[in-house]
């Protein structure tokens, strides 16, 4: 037997292990490769050569090792397989192993049926995800680890993917939650993702091995795993060799490989060349001249400056407290810039703002008087209450104001910030439609920054180097997680930093044009385009945009400050009387403390953050409703959602039954058919028991049985409902499978979507507690009484219920459902009349029946009422709309309601529509475009909100407020 | 109650007219190279100027991305991309070209490909009509009229394609003389297409047997190889554009790909109609017709199986009745949207016929596959303890490396099992 060599090339690190003939480890190392895979491997191998020459049997493993293996001809072993080999040798008594790498997460079940699992493509980002989060908190990973150990509480953070988690974390940072708590929450999210996304119904138990870099170095992560999996020290094993474990496995696996001299091996790697597999685009600039002309053209739109040290007079302050950056600007009444500031939040936007205003007061030495101020952005509420600004305005309005200053004819604005992409079309001097990216494609802007950092480069330098790249790589445009792995692939294929830099710019632009705006051609955008947002300061991005659209656009020199500038302009135009803005004296005395707690105003138990200012005034955030903010809640008398929530539950009598207890999980189809089945079972003398109210906690309860993590949130919540019913000791749970929903005669067919129709199958298959006895899921078509009765008769045979009884019960059920529908429709009429009388705008919050669940809609109905809208739902109004003939195949019952509801909205001036869409709903990819078309054909504003497990209403609020602003603008124009 | 009127929101789109047959070129996306090669020829013989699209560059995917909603499934994106990319190539006159697509009319969103394709074409090629091939009475004003005779030819073409594909996959990995297998395939395809010119194509036994014997005559090694079944959403299961050349990849990894027959999908659709009768009382003329059709087709399938058995060289194709029994072990035959219960059935049938490894391929976020694909894996694992299954998502942004790495993991386990079995025996 010869010496063994294992090379593990991961997405971020290279691990090399050499083992001698007796199994003794001669050499082991763990180094970051910064995308220089080949070089790093070579230098490590030369280290081995220095101490130990001779013949080696070598294997390469790891996600990034495949290409290297193919090109160099060195054997390859899949990394999980490598790990498995090492486990069997060193830990033969292990029951399972969890391995986290840079981009992959894996679980190996050793005992009880060997099984090896890897995360799916969407759950990417574990080690890389932690890195990204640390960057977001502006700490090193080690610091984050230390911090996490001091945590006092854990916040729920969406764990499905990095992009989502980020959307959850950002508001926490903005609200002033402690870094320690956030750090611990991030680790918990990683654990939850591993346990739910990978284990999928199989419990991780017994002796568990934890492998890979992150699980070796991060104490906080170890702790979170141990606690979550309920493992003691004896059962949670963290090997000393954890980071190199796969490399050791690869070395052991090499036994079967023909040995070669190490120098030969090194030569094989050295001589391997990059493959031709990467796809490339066109260079951004041909030459220097082209670039110079380009720069000169854009210079023309820069604002003038004015010396703050000498200026005397009034000024207006605008602040844009964005998700990742804080922007301030101070302008003179003739719009010259006195002072501006653009900075990453580094977790503390409030501190930055206070510090910078102090600086302004110091610099101005009493010569300048702030005549007015306005705040916009994510942190609007907090900053506004802290500095007592005159106005808080919606971001979209601020951006529009600013764009108008640069081009009064502007008809299209696109803003690419760190987190969000926003686009507005302007028609007749008002915002006509707003497009915001959905969570999935967020973070594109800051991705460049994070990536540059990971490459050890300054962002400016990184983006500049892409300008003359010969072959910009194609990186796809779905989300940053995918982009990340595309970049990794490109690197492995030998793409240069220049090519990647240019590729990133163009992929951000493509994402914006084709995914956010969803434009079929560049002409749709408009003639007078203003681009803004910090990301556009990057010339490569700007150039990509102009190239992709084929249009020359305006990018103001203050592209990154447009929100703040717009706010300042707004203050200038709207302030009357003395400004309330905090003065120099007040600023000196300014101090605050922050505390996070749970609001006990209702059963939601929101995590709220209370910031108390020195003068005793308080600012509360994190609350879903006014109650949490210490205000009197807005009445829900004009909220059909509130009515339905109450009315639906009233359709259950809940009395004891002679025949036993039936559990009905209140989710998916049951949100519509509860009255029917409650009526059915109660008239058969069963006691109807409902599952627990949906909540994040309930979701976690069933998370381990989720089989497909890309299914919609309502479906995934169903797992928790089932667990809760099982815990409530029901005799059986009932959830029918219905290919066909009830025919409402307004579509060509009346299907349910596949998930609603058959989710029972998945539940049964993936929850070991469910059996044929305690889970009843008949296939029925409620439109055909005869077969339905027959089927129900068969499944309830053991209760000795006659066919005629079943039939009677079913009729009783239908009666209850009818009564429910009538009540909902009557209430809808009542709300419409009342809204009209009070001169209120109404919104049809259109989605699916199960969007009624407060855990699914995140209280958007309450948000709407607090903004002064009356709230309706699609099932309350669709019958008032005409029947519609649509372009798409209209074949699902619930979706057919949407089209008719849209038609109804179009026929009523003061009624608007907001479509709620669950993330991952494939069918809504079809309905949304069609509903939009109906709305736009009638000249109505279309607003869509994508909802997921993310519990962050910040973006939604911006959207709805923008909608309100647009509606009011529209009204004003109509009247004037 | 007052009369509800109907508002028409539909946009105008070019419709396919029967007389276009003589003037228009028809573009067809390449879903299944085996079968479509034969179908292309027989449609040509019937006077249709069809062309199966072979364009598969990155531009295809880019056009798809541009014209199709992000959340729409990958197959739709591939198909639209192929059409637009082809039309942009300048090879076709946009005023004299139509595109063709099949439509099942099931509860899956795939039934909505037609409006999505129309919308995409409208932006660039507003005069190109979309032709629907369906048997559910959809798109009456723009559908492909399939007469009884053509229908019969299509059925035979599918059967022959299945036999070809099935034999090829069992021969190719083992061929002793490189290229021998491909040579046999090419000459057989030529023979079969020739037979459609006359009524010779109806010689069912002769043609099937000749396929089997021709492949059996190819010299094969006795070496044992890892067998990998491919199941899943129909497009990514069969189309190389959709699954990044999965069959080729498996061959290059020295495996035997096992791709279940297309006729199984046809029978699956028919059985769903029959089941609707038994389950929900949807009985009538249509139901009876389906029952008769099923009987005829299944009988034909049984015949092919008997040829295989008689020859003895190859594992026969699946018996659909066996597939149905397999389905019953895994999930209810009521799961009928998309590829529904067929996926579970095929996985179980593969397990029972000695194919120990399976790639379950689906477009990212495929709704029916949540349930019928990933959802049944656990059930399968309890019944077929050693079955080695990997679910792979296909998506324009998912990298090939990512997909191949997962398949490689599955193969590593497969090889180990194969080696283990060898040393046991």
């Amino acid at each position: 037997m010869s010496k063994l060599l294992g090379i593990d090339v991961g997405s971020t690190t290279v691990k090399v292990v050499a083992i001698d003939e007796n199994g003794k480890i001669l050499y082991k190392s763990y180094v970051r490769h910064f995308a220089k895979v080949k070089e790093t491997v070579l230098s490590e191998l030369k280290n081995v050569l220095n101490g130990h020459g001779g013949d080696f049997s070598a294997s390469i493993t790891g996600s990034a090792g495949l290409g290297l293996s193919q090109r160099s001809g060195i054997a390859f072993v899949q990394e999980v397989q490598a790990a498995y080999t090492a486990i069997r040798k060193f830990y033969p008594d292990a029951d399972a192993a969890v391995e986290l790498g840079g981009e992959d997460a894996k679980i190996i079940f050793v005992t009880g049926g060997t099984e090896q699992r890897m995360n799916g493509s969407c759950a990417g980002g574990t080690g890389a995800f932690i890195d990204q989060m640390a960057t977001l908190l502006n700490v090193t990973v080690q610091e984050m680890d230390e911090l996490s150990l001091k945590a006092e509480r854990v916040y729920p953070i969406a764990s499905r993917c990095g992009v989502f988690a980020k959307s959850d974390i950002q508001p926490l940072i903005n609200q002033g939650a402690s870094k320690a708590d956030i750090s611990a929450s991030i680790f918990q999210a990683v654990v939850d993702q591993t346990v739910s996304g990978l284990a999928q119904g199989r419990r991780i138990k017994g002796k568990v091995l934890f492998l890979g870099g992150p699980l070796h170095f991060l104490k906080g992560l170890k702790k979170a795993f141990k606690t979550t999996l309920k493992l003691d020290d004896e059962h949670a094993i963290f090997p000393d060799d954890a980071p190199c474990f796969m490399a050791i496995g690869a070395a052991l696996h090499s036994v079967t490989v023909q040995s070669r001299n190490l120098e030969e091996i090194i030569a094989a790697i050295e001589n391997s060349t990059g493959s031709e597999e990467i796809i490339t685009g066109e260079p951004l600039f041909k030459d220097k001249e082209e670039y110079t002309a380009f720069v000169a053209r854009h210079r023309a739109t820069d604002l003038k400056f004015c010396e703050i040290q000498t200026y005397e007079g009034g000024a207006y302050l605008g602040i844009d407290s964005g998700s990742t950056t804080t922007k301030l600007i101070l302008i003179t009444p003739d719009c010259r810039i006195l002072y501006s500031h653009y900075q990453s939040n580094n977790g503390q936007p409030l501190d930055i703002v206070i510090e910078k205003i102090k600086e302004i007061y110091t610099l101005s030495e009493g010569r300048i008087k702030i005549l007015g101020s306005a705040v916009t952005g994510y942190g609007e509420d907090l900053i506004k209450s802290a500095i007592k600004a005159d106005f808080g305005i919606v971001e979209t309005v601020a951006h529009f104001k600013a764009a108008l200053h640069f081009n009064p004819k502007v008809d299209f604005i696109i803003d690419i910030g760190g987190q969000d992409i926003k686009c507005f079309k302007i028609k007749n001097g008002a915002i006509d439609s707003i497009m915001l990216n959905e969570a999935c494609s967020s973070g594109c802007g800051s991705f460049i920054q994070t990536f540059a950092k990971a490459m050890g480069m300054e962002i400016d330098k990184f983006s500049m180097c892409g300008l003359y790249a010969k072959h910009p790589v194609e990186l796809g445009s779905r989300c940053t997680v995918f982009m990340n792995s595309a970049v990794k692939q490109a690197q492995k294929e030998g793409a240069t930093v220049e090519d990647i830099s240019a590729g990133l710019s163009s992929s951000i632009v493509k994402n914006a044009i084709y995914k956010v705006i969803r434009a079929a051609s560049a002409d749709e955008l408009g003639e007078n385009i203003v681009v803004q947002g910090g990301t556009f300061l990057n010339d490569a991005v700007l150039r990509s945009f102009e190239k992709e659209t084929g249009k020359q656009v305006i990018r103001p020199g203050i592209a990154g400050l447009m929100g703040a500038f717009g706010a300042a302009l707004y203050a200038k135009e709207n302030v009357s009387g003395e400004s309330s803005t905090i003065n120099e004296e007040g600023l000196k005395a300014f101090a605050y403390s922050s505390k996070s707690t749970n609001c006990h105003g209702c059963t939601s138990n929101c995590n709220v953050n209370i910031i108390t200012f020195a003068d005793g005034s308080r600012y509360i955030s994190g609350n879903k409703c006014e109650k949490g903010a210490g205000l009197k809640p807005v009445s829900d008398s004009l909220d059909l959602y509130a009515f339905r929530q109450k009315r639906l539950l009233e359709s259950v009598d809940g009395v004891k039954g002679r025949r036993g207890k039936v559990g009905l999980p209140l989710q998916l189809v049951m949100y519509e058919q509860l009255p029917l089945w409650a009526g059915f079972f109660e008239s058969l003398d069963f006691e109807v028991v409902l599952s627990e109210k949906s909540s994040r906690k309930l979701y976690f309860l069933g998370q381990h049985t989720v089989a497909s993590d890309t299914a919609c949130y309502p479906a995934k919540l169903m797992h928790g409902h089932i667990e809760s019913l099982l815990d409530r000791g029901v005799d059986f749970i009932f959830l029918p499978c219905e290919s066909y929903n009830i025919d409402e005669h307004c579509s060509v067919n009346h299907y349910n979507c596949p998930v609603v129709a058959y989710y029972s199958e998945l539940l049964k298959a993936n929850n070991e507690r469910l059996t044929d006895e305690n889970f009843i899921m008949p296939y029925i078509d409620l439109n055909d009484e005869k077969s339905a009765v027959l089927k129900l008769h068969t499944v309830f045979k053991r209760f000795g219920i006659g066919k005629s009884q079943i039939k009677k019960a079913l009729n009783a059920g239908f009666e209850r459902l009818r009564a429910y529908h009538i009540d909902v429709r009557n209430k809808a009429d009542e709300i419409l009349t009342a809204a009209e009388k009070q001169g209120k705008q109404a919104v049809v919050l259109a989605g699916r029946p199960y969007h009624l669940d407060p855990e699914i809609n995140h209280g958007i109905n309450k948000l709407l009422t607090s903004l002064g809208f009356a709230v309706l739902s699609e099932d309350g109004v669709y019958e008032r709309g005409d029947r519609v003939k649509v372009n798409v195949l209209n074949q699902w019952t619930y979706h057919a309601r949407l089209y008719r509801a849209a038609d109804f909205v179009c026929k009523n001036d003061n009624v608007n529509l907001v479509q709620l869409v669950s993330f991952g709903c494939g069918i809504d990819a079809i309905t949304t475009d069609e509903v939009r078309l109906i709305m736009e054909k009638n000249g109505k504003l279309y607003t869509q909100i994508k909802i997921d497990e993310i519990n962050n209403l910040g973006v939604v609020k911006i959207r709805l407020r923008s909608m309100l602003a647009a509606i009011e603008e529209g009204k004003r124009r109509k009247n004037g | 109650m007052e009369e509800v009127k109907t508002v028409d929101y539909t946009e105008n789109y070019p419709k396919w007219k029967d007389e276009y047959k003589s003037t228009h070129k028809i573009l067809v996306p390449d879903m299944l190279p085996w079968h479509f090669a034969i179908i292309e020829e027989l449609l040509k013989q019937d006077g249709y100027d069809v062309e199966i699209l072979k364009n598969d560059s990155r531009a295809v995917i880019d056009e798809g991305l541009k014209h199709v909603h992000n959340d729409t499934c990958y197959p739709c994106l591939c198909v639209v991309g192929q059409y637009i990319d082809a039309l942009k190539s300048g090879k076709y006159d946009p005023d004299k070209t139509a595109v063709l697509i099949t439509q099942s009319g099931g509860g899956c969103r795939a039934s909505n490909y037609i409006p999505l394709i129309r919308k995409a074409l409208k932006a660039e090629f507003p005069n190109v009509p979309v032709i629907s091939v369906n048997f559910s009475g959809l798109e009456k004003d723009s559908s492909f009229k399939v007469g009884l005779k053509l229908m019969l030819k299509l059925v035979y073409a599918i059967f022959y394609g299945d036999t070809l594909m099935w034999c090829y996959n069992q021969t190719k990995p083992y061929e002793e003389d490189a290229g021998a297998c491909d040579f046999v395939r090419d000459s057989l395809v030529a023979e079969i297409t020739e037979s459609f010119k006359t009524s010779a194509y109806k010689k069912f036994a002769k043609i099937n047997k000749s396929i089997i014997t021709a492949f059996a005559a190819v010299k094969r090694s006795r070496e044992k190889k890892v067998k990998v079944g491919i199941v899943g959403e129909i497009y990514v299961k069969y189309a190389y554009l959709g699954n990044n050349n999965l069959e080729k990849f498996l061959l290059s990894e020295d495996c035997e790909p096992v791709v279940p027959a297309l006729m199984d999908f046809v029978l699956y659709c028919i059985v769903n109609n029959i089941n609707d009768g038994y389950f929900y009382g949807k009985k009538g003329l249509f139901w009876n017709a389906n029952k008769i059709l099923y009987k005829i087709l299944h009988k034909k399938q049984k015949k092919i199986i008997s040829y295989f058995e008689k020859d003895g060289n190859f594992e026969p194709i699946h018996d659909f009745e066996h597939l149905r029994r397999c389905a019953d072990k895994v999930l209810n035959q009521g799961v009928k949207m998309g590829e529904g219960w067929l996926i579970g059935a095929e996985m179980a049938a593969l397990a029972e016929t000695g194919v120990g490894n399976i790639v379950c391929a689906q477009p990212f976020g495929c709704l029916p596959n949540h349930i019928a694909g990933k959802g049944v894996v656990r059930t399968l694992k309890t019944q077929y303890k050693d079955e080695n299954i990997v679910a792979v998502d296909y998506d324009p942004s998912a990298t090939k490396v990512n997909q191949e790495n997962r398949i490689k993991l599955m193969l590593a386990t497969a090889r180990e099992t194969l080696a283990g079995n060898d040393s046991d025996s």
Side-chain angles (χ1 to χ4, degrees), chain A residues 808-883:
Chain A
K808 233 172 86 189
L810 202 57
N811 283 329
F814 270 112
E815 211 35 67
R816 270 198 214 187
L817 185 63
R818 210 165 295 135
Y820 169 71
H821 282 157
I822 289 170
D823 285 357
V824 168
R825 278 153 212 172
N826 287 344
K827 183 69 185 179
D829 290 352
E830 193 188 310
I831 291 174
L832 273 167
T833 320
E836 200 168 342
K837 231 185 236 163
Q838 299 173 24
K840 275 193 172 190
Q841 290 281 332
V843 163
V844 175
L845 194 55
R848 305 272 190 283
Y850 41 86
H851 286 150
L852 184 59
D853 188 336
E855 175 62 20
I856 305 284
N857 67 38
H858 299 308
I860 291 172
N861 55 320
K862 287 188 187 171
L863 186 62
L864 281 166
T865 52
S866 75
L867 291 172
F869 288 105
V871 178
L872 299 159
S873 58
E874 79 290 347
D875 62 343
V877 300
Y878 78 94
E879 285 187 318
R880 298 172 58 126
D882 289 327
R883 275 181 207 189

Side-chain angles (χ1 to χ4, degrees), chain A residues 378-393:
Chain A
Y378 275 91
E380 174 196 327
D381 297 343
L382 171 63
I383 307 287
K384 184 174 174 245
S385 33
I387 68 153
K388 302 192 169 47
D390 297 303
F391 307 99
I393 60 171

